[in-house]
Amino acid sequence: MQAFSAPRYGGPEVLVHAELAIPDPAPDQVRIRVLASSVNPLDWHELRGEPWLVRARGGVRRPRQTVVGSDVAGIVDEVGTEVSGIQVGQRVFGTAVGAFGPFALARPKRLAFVPDGVTPPIAASLPVAGCTALQALRKGGVESGSKVLVVGASGGVGTFAVQLAVAAGASVTGVCSTPNVELVRSLGASTVIDYTTGGLDALEGPFDAIVDNIGSMPFRRCRALLRHGGAYVVIGGPDGGSVLGPLTHLARAKLAFVFGGRRAVPFLASIESADLDDLARRVAAGTLVPVVERTFGSQEVPDAIRHVETRRTRGKVVISDVPDWPAKETV
Ligand SMILES: NC(=O)c1ccc[n+]([C@@H]2O[C@H](COP(=O)([O-])OP(=O)(O)OC[C@H]3O[C@@H](n4cnc5c(N)ncnc54)[C@H](OP(=O)(O)O)[C@@H]3O)[C@@H](O)[C@H]2O)c1
C-alpha cells in the first residue's frame, strides 16, 4: 500500500510517501479499509515524539509505528482469529493504528458500527474529540439545569462539548476568539466570551462545571468561578515541558484544587464502543452535528497535520477522498 510514513520523529516534513506492506491484524484485531480519518492534536504529538512521554509507548529513538493517525471510518476487510461480532464488509468507525494510511488495525472495543445516513467523513470526525467531550461532561456531573463553562469552545473537543451539554439541558458559556463567536453561538451556547477582547475578566459564575481544553486561565480564577462542589474538568493544557507536556498541567490542577471545596478532574479519554455508538446515534438523529472545518485528500496528510498544529482549527479537520460509502461493499 502507498502511505505517508515517518521514518523518524519530527514535524510533517519528515513524512515520506512510501510503499509499505499491508498490515496483518493480530488475533484480537480487525483490519479496516480506511475511507476517512480525522486529525487530533495527539497525532502531531506522536509524529514529533513530543513530549518524551509519547516515546515511552511509541519507540524511544524512532517511531515503531511509522503511519500515524487514530480516528478512522471505513470497511472491515479482515478479522483476527479471536474476534467475534464483527464481519468483513461492515462499516465501522473508532480509533485504530495507522488511520492516515489506506489500511488500519483496530481492537473491536475501540469501534462501533456506523448507522445509516452517517458518511465516512462525518463518522471519522467523531471518535477522539466526541468521546472526550462526552466523558468530560459525564465526569463534570453535567445534567439538565447545570451551568457549564467550555474553554476552547470552537475546537474539536469544544464544538462537541457545547452541543452535548446543551442537549443535556445545561446552559453553556463558551470561550473562543472573535472569528469563532458566531460559530459557538450557533452550536447552542447562550453566552459566548471573546477571550481576545478582555471578555474573560467579565466572566461571572458560579458554574457547576468548567470544561477546559486550553489551560489558559489561572487555577485560582477557575476555582473562584465554580460553585462549592463544582468540577474543573481538565482536558488539555499548555505544552508544559518536553518530558510530560500537557500532563504537567493536569497534575498541577489536581494539586491546586486540594483545598477550597471544588474538584479538579484531570482525565484521559478512553475510546469505547458504547460512547461511539451514542455519538453516532445522535448524529444519525440530527441532534449532534459535527463541525468539519476542512477536508483534505489522502495525498495531503502532511498539510492536514500542519493545519491542526496551528491550534486554530474550527471543529474538526478530516482526511478523505470520498464523500460517501461505496455502493457495493466488496473488499
Ligand atoms: N485529556 C484527553 O483525553 C484529551 C483528548 C483529546 C484532546 N485533548 C487535548 O485537548 C486540547 C483540545 O483538543 P482539540 O481537539 O479540541 O484541539 P483543537 O481542535 O486543535 O483546538 C483548536 C481550538 O482551540 C482554540 N483555542 C486556542 N487557544 C485558545 C485560548 N487561549 N482560549 C480559548 N480557545 C483557544 C481555538 O479557538 P480560537 O482560534 O478561537 O482561539 C481553536 O478553535 C488539546 O490540547 C488536546 O491535546 C485531550
Side-chain angles (χ1 to χ4, degrees):
M1 64 177 193
Q2 289 276 322
F4 282 98
S5 172
R8 60 188 168 87
Y9 287 118
E13 69 282 356
V14 305
L15 289 167
V16 287
H17 207 234
E19 179 68 29
L20 304 171
I22 295 177
D24 288 323
D28 62 345
Q29 290 179 323
V30 300
R31 185 170 65 207
I32 299 165
R33 181 157 64 86
V34 177
L35 292 181
S37 54
S38 81
V39 187
N40 293 291
L42 178 67
D43 300 319
W44 60 259
H45 282 295
E46 289 189 342
L47 181 65
R48 290 185 179 275
E50 293 171 3
W52 271 85
L53 189 67
V54 305
R55 299 191 186 207
R57 202 179 55 150
V60 175
R61 296 185 59 187
R62 60 181 67 86
R64 274 193 291 272
Q65 169 65 34
T66 66
V67 181
V68 289
S70 173
D71 281 349
V72 73
I75 297 172
V76 176
D77 96 319
E78 194 170 323
V79 174
T81 52
E82 292 170 7
V83 172
S84 58
I86 297 192
Q87 280 148 23
V88 168
Q90 287 184 302
R91 300 168 175 181
V92 292
F93 77 112
T95 52
V97 173
F100 295 167
F103 292 93
L105 301 177
R107 295 205 153 72
K109 67 178 183 179
R110 309 269 179 240
L111 297 174
F113 297 117
V114 183
D116 286 346
V118 179
T119 64
I122 290 297
S125 73
L126 294 171
V128 169
C131 285
T132 303
L134 201 58
Q135 291 167 18
L137 297 174
R138 202 180 288 145
K139 285 186 182 282
V142 172
E143 57 188 13
S144 183
S146 297
K147 243 186 116 187
V148 184
L149 175 67
V150 178
V151 185
S154 53
V157 177
T159 49
F160 285 118
V162 172
Q163 293 186 70
L164 291 167
V166 170
S171 131
V172 177
T173 298
V175 177
C176 61
S177 68
T178 315
N180 292 325
V181 168
E182 281 315 310
L183 167 70
V184 174
R185 208 186 302 282
S186 75
L187 300 175
S190 51
T191 308
V192 184
I193 301 291
D194 183 345
Y195 71 88
T196 63
T197 56
L200 284 176
D201 298 335
L203 253 183
E204 276 181 26
F207 291 97
D208 298 294
I210 299 176
V211 172
D212 193 353
N213 295 300
I214 308 296
S216 54
M217 287 203 299
F219 294 134
R220 194 185 311 157
R221 177 91 172 108
C222 294
R223 264 200 321 260
L225 285 170
L226 283 169
R227 71 161 168 78
H228 195 268
Y232 175 57
V233 186
V234 198
I235 296 175
D239 280 346
S242 59
V243 178
L244 291 176
L247 288 184
T248 314
H249 181 77
L250 274 65
R252 282 201 188 119
K254 197 75 194 161
L255 286 175
F257 277 70
V258 168
F259 302 108
R262 279 87 177 148
R263 297 181 290 135
V265 190
F267 90 107
L268 291 175
S270 170
I271 311 307
E272 284 156 22
S273 303
D275 285 343
L276 291 166
D277 207 39
D278 180 342
L279 293 164
R281 281 172 197 271
R282 290 171 190 258
V283 173
T287 57
L288 178 68
V289 182
V291 176
V292 176
E293 179 195 336
R294 189 166 163 188
T295 301
F296 289 83
S298 63
Q299 300 301 309
E300 301 175 301
V301 168
D303 290 334
I305 297 172
R306 242 174 237 125
H307 188 87
V308 172
E309 269 198 292
T310 64
R311 301 176 195 221
R312 295 271 81 83
T313 309
R314 287 160 58 93
K316 293 292 299 174
V317 160
V318 165
I319 299 171
S320 183
D321 296 327
V322 296
D324 214 334
W325 300 94
K328 199 163 173 244
E329 291 168 15
T330 46
V331 229

